[in-house]
Structures are given as structure tokens and as C-alpha cells.
């Protein structure tokens, strides 16, 4: 396992991933011009961020994240790919790749963001983010990852038991609950009460005993 701030290891790690991405990236429509994804996304989003764009400034990830419907992933992706902001993207693919490289069964979101940020190639953050996501989408897949073809296998601590990382999220078991409902009222109306507890807590409903 390498330390995420060990530049002697991070530099070759970055070079291998970026070299692989240059040669193996999928021929997706928005990669056919010099920066098509940036143009596409920026055109759409700048309509919503003209209070920022009007001043001639590129919106930062934090500006984008403040917009309705824009989450941390989208904000980081747009800011890095379209505007070159050095902010790491952590989507499901990146989470899986990082969990496997560092053999983390249950990586905390903060650890993921800090690790992704530490590994980020500052020279071209958009390209780096896309390379990491591409690896997760095409090589380091959830099932049967193709470790023999992986450009960063040398650095991967979890490759011998890759599907163990990250551990699948345990689904909360569904229970069967018996309850008696009381329907009370008069003249076409009936009594509702606010529920407590985990079963529809906070919602209104007929009294349950
Ligand atoms: S070596 Fe295997 S598990 Fe590790 S990053 Fe590459 S594809 Fe994923």
C-alpha cells in the first residue's frame, strides 16, 4: 500500500493511469472535439450561473453545488472538466477503485474525498477525473474486474480479492409489524395523527395502536 501523499509513488501512478487513458478511452460523443464535454455542460450550466459568468469568472465547484439539483459529484465534474478547477470527483466508479487500491471495505466519504483529492493530477484535473472514472467503468468493474489489464495493478492492495472491496452495503431488513388501525370521525371527516418512530415517522395517518 502506498501513502497517498508519497510523491515518489504517486507520480508513476498518475503517469500509468493517464497513459492508459490516452490509449484506451472510449470513443464517446463528447470526447470527439477538443473539449466537448466542457462546452456542452458549460453552455447549459452557464445559463444558470450568469450571476457568476456575467462577471467573467468561471464558476467554482462551490458555486455550482449551490444550484438546485447540482450535487457534489456534478459540481466537481463540471468544475474540473469544463473549467480546470483542481477538485476531485468521487462517483461510484471512483469510490470502487479507491476502495480496492487501498483495500478499504467501508471507506468513509470524507476519506474518499481526501484521498481522491490527494491523488488528483493538478496539471489536468478534468482529464485525471475522467481517467479514474473510465478505469472504474471499464476495467475495475463491480464484478470480475480485469486486474490483468489494469494499468495501476502494481499499486493495488486489494487486487487479490478485489470484489471484497468495497463491501456491499447491508440492506436494512424488512420486518413484519402487526398493528390495529382506528378510524374515527364524523360528517365525512376522520382523525389523523402524526406518526412517531421509524415506520412512516413524521407523516400523518390514522391512529395506530
Ligand atoms: S488491480 Fe484490479 S482491483 Fe485493483 S484497481 Fe485495477 S482492476 Fe481494480
Amino acid at each position: 500500500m502506498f501513502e497517498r501523499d508519497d510523491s515518489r509513488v504517486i507520480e508513476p501512478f498518475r503517469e500509468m493511469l493517464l497513459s492508459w487513458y490516452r490509449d484506451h478511452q472510449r470513443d464517446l460523443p463528447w470526447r470527439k472535439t477538443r473539449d466537448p464535454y466542457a462546452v456542452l455542460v458549460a453552455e447549459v450550466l452557464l445559463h444558470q450561473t450568469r450571476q457568476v459568468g456575467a462577471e467573467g469568472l468561471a464558476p467554482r465547484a462551490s458555486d455550482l453545488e449551490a444550484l438546485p439539483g447540482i450535487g457534489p459529484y456534478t459540481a466537481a465534474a463540471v468544475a474540473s472538466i469544463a473549467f480546470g478547477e483542481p477538485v476531485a470527483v468521487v462517483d461510484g466508479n471512483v469510490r470502487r477503485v479507491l476502495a480496492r487500491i487501498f483495500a478499504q471495505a467501508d471507506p468513509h466519504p470524507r476519506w474518499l474525498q481526501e484521498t481522491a483529492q490527494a491523488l488528483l493530477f493538478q496539471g489536468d484535473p478534468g482529464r485525471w477525473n475522467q481517467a479514474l472514472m473510465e478505469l472504474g467503468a471499464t476495467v475495475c468493474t463491480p464484478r470480475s474486474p480485469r486486474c490483468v489489464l489494469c494499468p495501476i495493478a502494481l499499486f493495488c492492495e486489494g487486487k487479490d480479492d478485489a470484489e471484497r472491496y468495497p463491501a456491499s452495503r447491508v440492506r436494512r431488513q424488512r420486518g413484519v409489524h402487526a398493528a390495529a388501525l382506528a378510524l374515527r370521525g364524523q360528517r365525512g371527516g376522520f382523525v389523523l395523527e402524526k406518526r412517531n418512530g421509524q415506520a412512516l415517522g413524521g407523516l400523518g395517518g390514522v391512529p395506530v395502536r
Side-chain angles (χ1 to χ4, degrees), residues 97 100-101 135 139-140 145-147 150 152-153 156 158-159 162:
V97 172
R100 289 172 174 173
I101 292 173
L135 186 77
V139 176
C140 193
R146 300 188 295 161
C147 300
C150 180
I152 54 171
C156 183
K159 61 178 178 292

Side-chain angles (χ1 to χ4, degrees), residues 110-191:
R110 179 180 296 178
W111 178 88
L112 285 165
Q113 191 63 52
E114 289 176 354
T115 301
Q117 195 64 36
L119 299 178
L120 184 73
F121 175 52
Q122 304 275 327
D124 194 342
R127 187 168 181 77
W128 174 261
N129 281 329
Q130 291 184 88
L132 210 50
M133 290 189 282
E134 185 83 342
L135 186 77
T138 62
V139 176
C140 193
T141 48
R143 299 278 170 266
S144 305
R146 300 188 295 161
C147 300
V148 292
L149 301 177
C150 180
I152 54 171
L154 179 66
F155 305 91
C156 183
E157 187 179 346
K159 61 178 178 292
D160 291 337
D161 197 4
E163 290 190 32
R164 190 177 152 204
Y165 308 105
S168 47
R169 294 185 170 112
V170 179
R171 296 189 178 186
R172 193 184 303 170
Q173 285 194 336
R174 294 183 181 179
V176 177
H177 302 276
L181 307 182
L183 190 59
R184 303 198 314 255
Q186 57 183 356
R187 287 185 292 193
F190 53 89
V191 174

